[in-house]
Amino acid sequence: MTAPDPRYRPCVGVTLFNSAGRVFIGRRRGKGAFDIVADPYLWQMPQGGVDAGEEPFAAALRELHEETNVSSVEPLGEHPRWLSYDLPPEAMDKWKGKYIGQTQRWFALRFTGDDSEIDIHAPGGGKYKPEFEEWRWEKLSALPDLIVPFKREVYLNVVDAFTPFATR
């Protein structure tokens, strides 16, 4: 696996499919002064940073659990490339020049648990700060129209790569 461009914050993303081939999406909570996102672009799949020395797949499982409480999964696939996006100028203050955007490694996982396992309000039994205020299962093909425009190209790549997993 090629190392990501150091100008971009290394991250992972999770496309979590249920048994009906739908994908978990969460409606983001506000991020305070750094939040530049508005309706209808508040929905996204679980994602987050890769810690120093952490393998991307381990980071994906960790981030999924931290954001959704989900741990009942089986791997389906991995996007073959790191997918990057640049942050718009109004969002650059968050990292104060350290990064120009994010680069993400995406993983497709099948949710093998029951919906009652999903807890976005107190993930990890309340150990983690909630990232989402609501969630739903959505058609994979609908996701690019629900994400902030500067991440749309990444989502189009994810949809293209993971469409075979949308049906069982």
Side-chain angles (χ1 to χ4, degrees):
M1 180 180 329
T2 306
D5 184 327
R7 298 173 303 156
Y8 293 84
R9 178 177 177 247
C11 297
V12 291
V14 174
T15 306
L16 182 67
F17 290 91
N18 68 8
S19 61
R22 299 276 176 138
V23 175
F24 174 97
I25 58 169
R27 189 173 197 273
R28 293 179 56 254
R29 290 184 177 273
K31 298 281 188 186
F34 295 116
D35 206 342
I36 60 165
V37 181
D39 276 329
Y41 307 115
L42 293 171
W43 295 90
Q44 69 179 40
M45 292 181 279
Q47 64 175 53
V50 177
D51 293 338
E54 187 177 33
E55 290 296 320
F57 184 68
L61 295 176
R62 177 185 51 75
E63 284 292 338
L64 178 65
H65 184 69
E66 287 179 3
E67 294 183 8
T68 67
N69 202 57
V70 168
S71 57
S72 301
V73 296
E74 60 185 30
L76 295 173
E78 176 180 351
H79 197 282
R81 297 183 291 114
W82 288 91
L83 302 173
S84 301
Y85 63 86
D86 292 338
L87 288 170
E90 60 271 21
M92 293 296 288
D93 286 345
K94 182 175 183 179
W95 291 310
K96 308 213 183 311
K98 186 173 181 181
Y99 300 110
I100 62 170
Q102 294 195 30
T103 189
Q104 300 174 318
R105 195 64 179 223
W106 281 87
F107 296 89
L109 304 174
R110 176 81 60 205
F111 180 49
T112 58
D114 184 85
D115 283 3
S116 64
E117 180 178 338
I118 299 170
D119 186 353
I120 61 166
H121 302 294
K127 182 178 175 183
Y128 306 109
K129 181 180 175 189
E131 294 281 331
F132 301 121
E133 59 187 19
E134 63 182 284
W135 71 275
R136 69 178 191 245
W137 295 108
E138 182 59 75
K139 286 191 244 180
L140 180 67
S141 61
L143 300 185
D145 293 329
L146 300 172
I147 190 67
V148 293
F150 63 89
K151 293 182 184 180
R152 190 169 197 274
E153 192 64 32
V154 167
Y155 271 50
L156 287 169
N157 275 281
V158 169
V159 168
D160 184 53
F162 293 162
T163 291
F165 305 124
T167 56
R168 270 199 91 120

